[in-house]
Amino acid sequence: MGAFVKLIDAILFLYFLVIAVLTPLIDSQSCLPVDHFPDLLVDLHLWYSREYGDYLVTEKPNFFVGLVWLELLFQWPISIANLYGILAGKSWFRTTCLVYGVSAFTSM
């Protein structure tokens, strides 16, 4: 059972690491001015929206911008806290994972 828990923790660590890196660099371009980002990241964001036809990223409707703000102001800090919780073995890690999961599920 201990090995299974360590595997789950490793998967969660990778997930939260991706969220902690990509949210401020890629997702935040939907609600912040583009001139705050390097050209490489802006080009990547534009390529994604053209390649996959993601109309939410292209048109930026108000509800989508609100969901990105929710992700930036609430989910991103919790993902960083979860990274720390996994590395330090904190007991509150499961609770913050639950809070993150509920927030992500209700924003879908």
Side-chain angles (χ1 to χ4, degrees), residues 21-43:
V21 171
L22 292 182
T23 296
L25 296 178
I26 303 297
D27 293 346
S28 62
Q29 292 182 35
S30 295
C31 60
L32 296 175
V34 177
D35 57 345
H36 288 34
F37 300 96
D39 291 336
L40 176 68
L41 293 176
V42 173
D43 292 341

Side-chain angles (χ1 to χ4, degrees), residues 46-90:
L46 291 173
W47 170 82
Y48 167 79
S49 63
R50 282 192 312 263
E51 184 71 23
Y52 294 100
D54 192 346
Y55 71 94
L56 293 175
V57 173
T58 305
E59 297 175 9
K60 299 178 186 172
N62 291 334
F63 79 91
F64 180 70
V65 173
L67 289 175
V68 172
W69 275 113
L70 171 74
E71 186 176 9
L72 277 173
L73 298 175
F74 185 71
Q75 293 176 351
W76 182 62
I78 289 178
S79 69
I80 293 173
N82 283 338
L83 286 172
Y84 171 72
I86 291 171
L87 290 176
K90 297 295 183 180

Side-chain angles (χ1 to χ4, degrees), residues 90-107:
K90 297 295 183 180
S91 61
W92 46 259
F93 165 67
R94 288 176 179 79
T95 304
T96 55
C97 274
L98 180 63
V99 170
Y100 180 90
V102 168
S103 176
F105 180 73
T106 56
S107 68

